[in-house]
Amino acid sequence: MIDNDTWEVHCQLSSSDSLSLLEYLFPDALLLPIAKGKLSATQSSMQQPKQNHFTMSAVLEQCRAQNLYGLKPQNEDRKRKRSKEMWLAGCPNLDPKASPQREVQLAIFFNNVLTAISEACDTVRPIQWDAKSSYTPLKGVEAVRKPDISSFFPGSQTLDWRHLISFCEVKNRCTPVNERKSYVEAAGKASCLLYAQDGRHLAPCIRILGSSIYLTIFDRGGSLSTAGFDIHSHPEVFLRILIGVSAAPLSTLGFDASI
C-alpha cells in the first residue's frame, strides 16, 4: 500500500521551490534569534546594523572558524586539482564506494555541528541524534521498524515511537531507485510515528542519499519532499534542514502546542 498509494499523493519539489519552502518553514528569525554566544560578540565588534536574529551565512562562517567546514588538506599528488570546501571534522565519507554502515558516524557528525551552533548562537537548543534505532526496533506500535538515525525527547528512557521527534534515513548512493526506496521506507516509518502520536499532524524527516540531503514532510493526507542538495556544495541548505528539524519549535514540527 505504501509503495503504490503513498507515492501517488507525494509531491516532489523543484530546487527553487525547495529553497522557498525551507526559507518559509525554517527562517533565520525562527531558528537563530539573537541572545548571547560567540556570534553575538562577533556581531557587536563588527558594529553591524541591529537585527533580531543571526543569519545562516554567519552560522556557516562560525563553522569555518571551528574547522567544521572548509578546504580539505590536499596531498602532494593532488596539488593541481582545484580544492573545494566541504564538511570536515567528524563528517563520514559519503562517497558511494565508502562503507554503507555510516549511521553512527552521521549521528555524531550531526551532534557535533549542532553543538557548535548552540555555542555560537546560545538560543539554539537542539535535540541529540542517536543511531541505536538502526539495530533496535522502536516500541509503541506492532510493526517492526528501525529508523537509521533518530531524535527523541530529552530524558526518554526507551526507544519508543511515542517519544520520537524525528528520524533520518540513510542510503549510500543517490540514484532514482534509491531515492524511491528511501522515500518508501521513510513513509512506512512516518506512518508508525503518526499512529503512535495521534495528536501530531505532521512529521518532518531527513533523508541522506550519498552526500545529498532531502527534507520530507509527511502528514495524514500525503507528503512532499525537497529536491536533493549536496551537503558540501550547499552547506547553508544542510544547516537549515538540520537546525530546523533539530531545534525548531515543536509546533513547527507538527506537534499540537495547545495540548
Side-chain angles (χ1 to χ4, degrees), residues 42-49:
T42 301
Q43 192 173 66
S44 298
S45 64
M46 295 178 65
Q47 297 182 344
Q48 294 182 348

Side-chain angles (χ1 to χ4, degrees), residues 84 98 146 259:
K84 293 183 179 180
K146 297 180 290 185
I259 298 178

Side-chain angles (χ1 to χ4, degrees), residues 21-221:
L21 175 69
L22 292 172
E23 290 280 356
Y24 174 77
L25 287 177
F26 304 134
D28 292 349
L30 177 72
L31 300 182
L32 307 170
I34 286 182
K36 299 179 181 179
K38 298 177 182 178
L39 277 180
S40 180
T42 301
Q43 192 173 66
S44 298
S45 64
M46 295 178 65
Q47 297 182 344
Q48 294 182 348
K50 290 185 177 180
Q51 54 185 2
N52 61 359
H53 62 84
F54 300 117
T55 63
M56 202 60 68
S57 58
V59 170
L60 179 60
E61 286 303 315
Q62 187 65 27
C63 290
R64 284 193 176 98
Q66 297 192 33
N67 295 319
L68 288 172
Y69 184 80
L71 296 175
K72 183 178 181 180
Q74 297 291 306
N75 296 330
E76 290 296 324
D77 58 344
R78 296 182 179 178
K79 280 186 176 180
R80 295 183 180 180
K81 292 186 178 181
R82 184 178 179 182
S83 298
K84 293 183 179 180
E85 287 190 304
M86 62 188 301
W87 290 100
L88 301 172
C91 183
N93 185 354
L94 298 176
D95 185 272
K97 296 181 180 179
S99 171
Q101 297 180 343
R102 59 190 71 175
E103 291 86 357
V104 173
Q105 292 176 303
L106 265 175
I108 294 173
F109 170 61
F110 283 1
N111 292 334
N112 287 344
V113 172
L114 291 168
T115 297
I117 294 168
S118 179
E119 293 174 353
C121 300
D122 188 62
T123 50
V124 176
R125 295 288 184 269
I127 53 178
Q128 293 291 295
W129 292 85
D130 197 305
K132 291 179 181 177
S133 59
S134 64
Y135 51 84
T136 304
L138 272 60
K139 299 179 180 179
V141 299
E142 293 183 2
V144 178
R145 294 287 189 274
K146 297 180 290 185
D148 291 332
I149 309 174
S150 301
S151 58
F152 296 90
F153 284 106
S156 299
Q157 300 298 317
T158 59
L159 302 180
D160 195 306
W161 289 105
R162 291 165 291 188
H163 305 156
L164 187 70
I165 296 178
S166 187
F167 62 92
C168 173
E169 287 300 298
V170 183
K171 297 287 185 187
N172 67 325
R173 293 177 182 272
C174 186
T175 65
V177 172
N178 269 0
E179 200 281 328
R180 184 182 177 101
K181 284 183 178 179
S182 171
Y183 167 79
V184 170
E185 291 176 10
K189 292 164 188 177
S191 66
C192 292
L193 189 158
L194 292 172
Y195 176 81
Q197 300 179 18
D198 57 3
R200 191 169 178 179
H201 65 271
L202 63 83
C205 71
I206 295 172
R207 294 189 293 138
I208 298 288
L209 284 80
S211 60
S212 295
I213 187 170
Y214 297 73
L215 173 69
T216 300
I217 301 173
F218 295 91
D219 65 15
R220 299 182 186 276

